[in-house]
């Protein structure tokens, strides 16, 4: 309404000084510009709706990050499993080959042990991320269930009150213009 009041003031200025219409426009514009009712309602609406939506957005971002981390950890786990299988195959080939130096066999066994250790680490990391994902998902669902419904319900009520207030102001404006 404030913007409408400012526009009405400019329109009154276009009518010219001393004009009855210009005076009426100026009165109505002053009334609209000085009315803070809608500004207060808009600030409350911002606090009660926008801030919870930002919080909800943060929850969604956390869930997405955990899902991305889980995907990357799962890929690393599969890579480590494949690497372990390759090392096992290499060691089996070396053992099956007659006349292989003991040094090559020992080196292959060390590589196999290292691959096994890396696989265990990747497995532990994946399990940790799965646990974190369960925690984040439960927090997300808990937040989504309770607060979103209440927030949207409150938003609808505030919008209805805001529409009622605007209707009152328009009614008062029409009354002032016809009087």
């Amino acid at each position: 309404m404030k913007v409408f009041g400012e526009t009405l003031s400019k329109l009154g200025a276009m009518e010219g000084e001393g004009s009855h219409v210009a005076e009426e426009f100026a009165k109505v514009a002053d009334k609209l510009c000085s009315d803070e009712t809608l500004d207060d309602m808009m600030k409350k609406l911002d606090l009660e709706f926008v801030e919870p939506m930002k919080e909800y957005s943060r929850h969604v971002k956390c869930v997405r990050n955990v899902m991305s981390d889980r995907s990357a950890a799962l890929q690393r786990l599969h890579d480590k499993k494949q690497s372990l299988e390759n090392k096992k195959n290499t060691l089996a080939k070396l053992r099956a080959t007659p006349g292989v130096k003991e040094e090559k066999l020992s080196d292959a066994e060390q590589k196999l042990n290292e691959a096994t250790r890396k696989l265990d680490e990747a497995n532990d990391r994946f399990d940790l991320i799965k646990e974190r994902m369960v925690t984040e998902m439960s927090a997300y669902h808990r937040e989504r269930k309770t607060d979103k419904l209440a927030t949207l319900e409150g938003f609808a009520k505030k919008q209805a009150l805001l529409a009622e207030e605007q209707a009152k102001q328009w009614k008062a404006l029409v009354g002032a213009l016809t009087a």
Side-chain angles (χ1 to χ4, degrees):
M1 290 301 262
K2 206 175 229 181
V3 173
F4 182 71
E6 291 169 1
T7 306
L8 198 56
S9 178
K10 290 177 185 176
L11 185 61
M14 299 301 279
E15 287 291 323
E17 288 185 37
S19 168
H20 176 67
V21 174
E23 290 174 15
E24 289 300 317
F25 278 177
K27 284 181 195 175
V28 173
D30 288 342
K31 182 178 181 203
L32 290 175
C33 288
S34 66
D35 191 0
E36 299 291 325
T37 326
L38 290 180
D39 287 342
D40 292 340
M41 291 180 90
M42 292 303 288
K43 287 176 187 173
K44 285 180 184 176
L45 187 65
D46 187 46
L47 288 174
E48 294 174 7
F49 182 71
V50 175
E51 291 304 318
M53 285 293 127
K54 286 180 183 177
E55 184 66 26
Y56 179 70
S57 175
R58 283 188 285 271
H59 278 285
V60 170
K61 188 175 181 180
C62 286
V63 168
R64 272 197 315 222
N65 288 341
V66 169
M67 290 174 79
S68 175
D69 291 348
R70 180 191 173 276
S71 178
L74 184 60
Q75 183 62 42
R76 281 191 301 273
L77 183 64
H78 286 300
D79 291 346
K80 300 298 178 187
K81 282 181 182 179
Q82 185 62 43
S83 176
L84 182 67
E85 286 301 314
N86 291 341
K87 304 280 191 253
K88 283 181 181 178
N89 290 339
T90 301
L91 183 62
K93 285 179 186 176
L94 286 174
R95 284 185 177 157
T97 306
V100 174
K101 292 182 181 178
E102 194 62 34
E103 188 177 299
K104 274 190 170 183
L105 201 55
S106 175
D107 188 40
E109 286 174 349
Q110 283 180 342
K111 287 181 181 179
L112 178 65
N113 290 337
E114 181 67 19
T116 303
R117 186 186 61 75
K118 286 182 179 180
L119 176 64
D120 290 341
E121 287 174 1
N123 220 349
D124 291 343
R125 175 139 173 82
F126 182 70
D127 289 341
L128 179 71
I129 289 175
K130 280 191 334 190
E131 289 173 21
R132 195 173 112 213
M133 187 172 171
V134 167
T135 304
E136 290 293 335
M137 290 299 287
S138 66
Y140 169 75
H141 286 298
R142 190 173 47 250
E143 172 77 17
R144 192 184 84 189
K145 269 185 193 175
T146 57
D147 292 345
K148 293 307 138 255
L149 182 61
T151 300
L152 291 174
E153 187 177 306
F155 177 71
K157 288 178 182 178
K158 289 288 182 192
Q159 285 288 15
L161 289 172
L162 190 61
E164 285 178 24
E165 185 61 34
Q166 284 178 331
K168 287 177 189 175
Q169 288 186 352
W170 280 110
K171 205 175 217 180
L173 176 64
V174 169
L177 289 175
T178 56

